Amino acid sequence: MKILGIESSCDETAVSVVEDGKIVLSNVIASSLEEHILYGGVVPEIASRRHAECIEQVTKQALKDAGCELSDIDAIAVTAAPGLIGALLVGVNFAKGLSLKTGIPLVPVHHLRSHIAANYVTQPDLKPPFLALVASGGHSHIVEVKSYTEYKVIGQTRDDAAGECMDKTARVLGLPYPGGKNMDAVSQEGNPHAFQTPHPHVDGSPYDFSFSGLKTYVINTVHHMEQKGEKPNVPDMGATIITAVVDSLADNTERAAKDLGYDTIVLAGGVSANSFLRKRFETICENNHWTLYMPALQYCGDNGAMVAAQGYYEFIAGRRAGLDLNAKATMAIDAEF
Ligand code: KG4
Ligand code: ZN
């Protein structure tokens, strides 16, 4: 069964054809990243305009790369929530138009569900149930994945997401957007104990996260140093903040897995590309004799293959959308469209 996956929730216009939720036949990504670098972050209006300009071409290319015609496609899966509303609407309306024209069923996909599904294309042997840590620019969740379409959130951030914290730290340190990725690269040789950071935690909620204190710590520390004519050592500060974020993500996930009895751990979302996070989870899972799944690096960030993969499971579970499908800026992972 061939699914066309369409993703436009942020700054990537991405379309892919995936067979049976596992075999990637094509994976085309157009990004407006270069333009956002000028502004130090994603400008929603620019992202929406670029989606509108290139979505048709990206879709044609994805079909061509897969050696398919639209008539070979069994379902059109589209990211409909959560994300930047103007950006999401481009993908949703394009998918609705395609579905109307061709009669191919339309399947709405939740963005975080698709990030988890990036693991199904990377490691086809992965099957629920498992415990997932989903960390991206907008979300930090610990989720019980009970089946391909059933989820229970057991922990989440109370304020900033892990990616947001790293992006903001990078910005204060003068690193270009996308901050999280650049900070990972420059912090490889940094001393993770160079600064004494607060330990992010939420009293009484052992699986929840709070990263805004770390962000404030960086802003204040850099400000105080600048007032004294000093500059922070960027690799040291980067390594310190990444390690503090990773400690929190790893400790809560390990605790949750022990408490709930999971021995399969899955990482997902843009932050799952972080080298410190990947190494930490390799160690945790080795020590506990747990099995770890991480997306291949090309599937950590936003892409159409993960949408098509999740779309496959939503489709076989009978999920469909009509032409009244709307995009939503926010939506819980366990809610239905
Ligand atoms: O999943 P994603 O591509 O988009 C959202 O759904 O938000 O995640 C983007 C986030 C950004 O905050 C970006 O800085 C972060 O993922 N990210 C990283 C790395 N690569 C991407 N954060 C830390 N280390 C990385 N190597
Ligand atoms: Zn994402």
Side-chain angles (χ1 to χ4, degrees):
M1 195 176 283
K2 293 188 178 76
I3 312 289
L4 184 75
I6 300 175
E7 156 64 35
S8 71
S9 67
C10 192
D11 58 341
E12 272 94 16
T13 319
V15 183
S16 169
V17 180
V18 174
E19 192 157 12
D20 298 335
K22 294 184 194 303
I23 304 155
V24 181
L25 302 181
S26 66
N27 189 35
V28 182
I29 304 180
S31 174
S32 49
L33 175 72
E34 290 298 320
E35 284 174 87
H36 303 297
I37 290 173
L38 298 172
Y39 301 94
V42 175
V43 182
E45 177 60 19
I46 293 178
S48 307
R49 285 187 205 179
R50 298 300 168 255
H51 288 316
E53 283 163 13
C54 73
I55 196 160
E56 188 177 345
Q57 193 50 43
V58 171
T59 305
K60 281 183 176 157
Q61 190 64 46
L63 288 166
K64 191 173 167 209
D65 289 358
C68 287
E69 304 285 334
L70 267 176
S71 54
D72 300 318
I73 299 295
D74 295 284
I76 299 166
V78 63
T79 309
L84 301 172
I85 192 68
L88 284 168
L89 278 168
V90 176
V92 166
N93 285 323
F94 182 76
K96 286 204 281 191
L98 270 188
S99 173
L100 178 66
K101 178 182 162 209
T102 58
I104 300 170
L106 181 64
V107 178
V109 172
H110 188 286
H111 186 59
L112 298 188
R113 292 188 184 195
S114 68
H115 269 302
I116 294 169
N119 287 280
Y120 304 139
V121 296
T122 300
Q123 283 120 329
D125 64 310
L126 174 63
K127 289 184 179 62
F130 52 77
L131 190 70
L133 170 68
V134 192
S136 70
H139 300 86
S140 305
H141 281 33
I142 299 175
V143 186
E144 283 186 81
V145 181
K146 292 171 175 283
S147 76
Y148 290 104
T149 53
E150 287 172 294
Y151 306 81
K152 186 175 176 197
V153 176
I154 61 156
Q156 58 189 303
T157 185
R158 297 291 183 96
D159 39 56
D160 292 351
E164 191 180 355
C165 175
M166 293 203 256
D167 289 342
K168 285 181 178 161
T169 299
R171 196 171 170 158
V172 174
L173 294 177
L175 296 169
Y177 178 84
K181 188 176 177 188
N182 288 323
M183 196 162 76
D184 187 3
V186 303
S187 304
Q188 292 297 319
E189 304 301 325
N191 172 9
H193 310 293
F195 296 87
Q196 285 246 304
T197 63
H199 290 287
H201 69 280
V202 180
D203 283 334
S205 299
Y207 313 131
D208 281 349
F209 305 106
S210 168
F211 296 115
S212 64
L214 272 178
K215 176 188 67 185
T216 311
Y217 167 82
V218 177
I219 293 170
N220 289 342
T221 305
V222 172
H223 181 67
H224 287 143
M225 290 182 87
E226 282 172 354
Q227 281 184 327
K228 291 192 275 179
E230 297 169 4
K231 277 194 167 162
N233 176 302
V234 174
D236 285 354
M237 179 62 96
T240 304
I241 297 302
I242 294 172
T243 302
V245 171
V246 167
D247 281 348
S248 177
L249 294 173
D251 290 351
N252 289 12
T253 308
E254 184 176 16
R255 187 179 302 124
K258 283 182 178 162
D259 292 352
L260 299 167
Y262 282 95
D263 60 5
T264 302
I265 308 294
V266 169
L267 304 185
V271 177
S272 66
N274 184 271
S275 62
F276 293 66
L277 186 79
R278 291 172 86 94
K279 273 186 218 131
R280 176 67 62 84
F281 271 90
E282 273 165 359
T283 306
I284 290 172
C285 289
E286 209 176 294
N287 291 345
N288 287 293
H289 307 289
W290 295 341
T291 310
L292 174 66
Y293 291 86
M294 304 185 278
L297 287 178
Q298 81 256 38
Y299 298 123
C300 289
D302 295 343
N303 64 86
M306 66 187 197
V307 181
Q310 184 59 28
Y312 168 76
Y313 292 106
E314 302 286 348
F315 183 61
I316 58 178
R319 310 278 158 74
R320 304 283 185 276
L323 292 177
D324 56 349
L325 175 66
N326 203 354
K328 291 181 190 165
T330 58
M331 183 178 178
I333 191 171
D334 52 355
E336 299 303 335
F337 286 96

